[in-house]
Amino acid sequence: MSEFDFGDSPLEMDHPLGTHLGIRLFIQRDDLLPFPLAGNKVRKLAYEARSQDWQRGDVLITNGGVDSNHCRTLAFMAARLGARAHLVLHGGQQDEGSPALRLLAALGATFDVVSSEEIAPTIARVQAEQRAKDRLVHIIPGGAHTPAGVEAYRDVGLRVMSAHQDLDHVVLASGTGATHAGLHIAAIQLGATGLVTGISVARHQERGLAAVVEAVSWVEPSAARSVQFDARFVDGGYGRASRATREAVDLAWQYGLPLDATYTGKAMRGLREMVREGTIAQGSRVLFWHTGGLMNHLTSLTEELS
Ligand SMILES: *Cc1c(COP(=O)(O)O)cnc(C)c1O
C-alpha cells in the first residue's frame, strides 16, 4: 500500500447548522483528514502517489497558483517521502516573502513563479534538467485532475454512500471536477442517480459540466450521464465572492464549522439557496462534503487587512 494510506476523515452526523438551514445536515470532514492542510487534495494526491509509485529521491513536478492547495499538499507529501517537489507557480502578485511561498520553501520545495504562457515550457525545462541528473521525474497535472484523483473519490464515495443509503442529497464544491466525478460515479454505481450535486466554484455551466463528464468517462464511461453541476453561484469566477457567499461562510463559522469563500463557502451558499427554492426539500438528509480550504480563508483574512 501507499505511504499515504492513513485513516479516513470523520463523518459528522446531524450538525447543528442543519437546524438553521431546515435540513438534517451530515458533513464528511475531509478538512480533518489526518494529513497537514487536510482537504480533497490529500485524497487525490495519495492516490496519485500510489499510481505513479513515487519514491524517496524522485522529483515531483506540478503547477498551480501560488496559493494553491494542490501545490502545498504536494510539497508536504514530497517532504514526508524524502522526494523533491518542484512547483511551477502562476498568478501570483505575491513576492518572494509571501506566506504561501515561505511555507513551500520551509517544506524544501523549489519553485518558479511564471506567467501562464510559460508554464508548459518551464515544466519541460525542469524535467530535462532533473533527468540529466539521473533522477526519476513524475509530472502531476495541476489540481491532481487525473484518473487517480477521480478514483480516490469514487472509492471513498462508495464506502460512505453505501453505509448511509438514506441520504437524499450529497453536495460539494466542484472546481476542475475530479472530486465531483468520483462521487458521481459512486452514486451511479449504487443506483442513486441524481444524489450528487456539484456547486461550481469558478466555471460556467457548459464548460464546467463538460469537464466533470469527461473526468467521469476517464474512469467509468458508463456513468457519464445525469451529472448535476450547478453554476449559478460562481459569483463572477474563481476567488471572487458575493455577499451571499460571505454570509454563508460567516454563518458556518458561527456554528464552529470553518468554511472559505473560494470553495466550500460557495457550496454552502448553493446548498442554502437550494433549500430556499425547494430543490432540496425541508427536512432532507443532506451530506455536505467538506473539501478543505482553511488556508484560503486565512489568506483572505490577511488580504482584507492590506
Ligand atoms: C481543489 C479544491 C476543490 C475543487 O476540487 P476539484 O476536484 O478540482 O473539483 C474544492 N475545495 C477545495 C478546498 C479545494 O482545494
Side-chain angles (χ1 to χ4, degrees):
M1 279 312 259
S2 141
E3 184 86 10
F4 303 110
D5 193 24
F6 36 63
D8 220 329
S9 70
L11 173 59
E12 275 192 82
M13 309 295 285
D14 281 314
H15 194 284
L17 174 59
T19 312
H20 185 112
L21 301 176
I23 54 172
R24 293 196 53 196
L25 180 64
F26 307 127
I27 308 181
Q28 188 69 40
R29 299 293 304 266
D30 277 4
D31 62 319
L32 297 179
L33 274 166
F35 194 81
L37 307 183
N40 66 339
K41 303 309 180 297
V42 171
R43 275 192 206 280
K44 292 168 87 176
L45 285 170
Y47 267 56
E48 201 56 43
R50 190 174 62 182
S51 114
Q52 294 190 337
D53 193 23
W54 303 345
Q55 300 292 334
R56 163 172 292 277
D58 291 356
V59 178
L60 312 177
I61 303 176
T62 197
N63 67 287
V66 169
D67 200 30
S68 94
N69 297 323
H70 166 68
C71 288
R72 283 194 273 266
T73 304
L74 186 77
F76 255 109
M77 288 187 171
R80 172 71 176 268
L81 199 61
R84 299 161 207 266
H86 187 90
L87 310 170
V88 178
L89 303 171
H90 43 92
Q93 326 89 326
Q94 311 186 41
D95 58 52
E96 285 293 303
S98 83
L101 293 181
R102 283 163 59 193
L103 187 145
L104 297 174
L107 291 165
T110 52
F111 47 82
D112 295 295
V113 181
V114 304
S115 66
S116 49
E117 311 82 73
E118 292 171 309
I119 296 169
T122 306
I123 291 174
R125 173 178 57 75
V126 176
Q127 182 178 25
E129 284 167 7
Q130 294 293 334
R131 281 193 175 147
K133 293 181 185 162
D134 271 337
R135 291 180 184 144
L136 193 59
V137 177
H138 306 281
I139 310 282
I140 301 105
H145 187 60
T146 61
V150 176
E151 286 165 8
Y153 274 90
R154 175 200 59 195
D155 290 355
V156 65
L158 284 170
R159 288 199 298 279
V160 171
M161 293 175 208
S162 58
H164 300 277
Q165 299 203 7
D166 53 358
L167 292 171
D168 299 308
H169 299 273
V170 175
V171 175
L172 78 152
S174 188
T176 64
T179 305
H180 182 184
L183 294 181
H184 173 83
I185 293 169
I188 295 286
Q189 290 185 342
L190 293 169
T193 303
L195 183 65
V196 178
T197 301
I199 308 290
S200 179
V201 302
R203 291 179 177 163
H204 291 293
Q205 189 65 31
E206 209 176 324
R207 172 165 179 240
L209 176 62
V212 180
V213 170
E214 185 193 19
V216 170
S217 63
W218 292 340
V219 169
E220 191 52 66
S222 69
R225 56 185 158 87
S226 54
V227 171
Q228 298 187 154
F229 179 84
D230 192 337
R232 288 179 293 160
F233 313 109
V234 292
D235 294 348
Y238 182 81
R240 305 229 179 121
S242 63
R243 194 191 178 103
T245 296
R246 289 181 200 280
E247 278 172 11
V249 171
D250 292 347
L251 176 70
W253 278 82
Q254 283 160 24
Y255 282 85
L257 180 69
L259 299 185
D260 73 286
T262 305
Y263 296 105
T264 55
K266 286 188 180 174
M268 183 57 77
R269 188 255 177 126
L271 168 55
R272 275 183 103 180
E273 302 275 358
M274 288 190 290
V275 175
R276 273 195 196 128
E277 74 193 11
T279 317
I280 292 179
Q282 291 271 331
S284 305
R285 296 160 173 267
V286 181
L287 175 63
F288 181 82
W289 206 293
H290 196 315
T291 48
L294 181 60
M295 288 289 283
N296 305 90
H297 185 72
L298 298 180
T299 303
S300 73
L301 293 180
T302 50
E303 278 165 358
E304 281 163 22
L305 288 177
S306 60

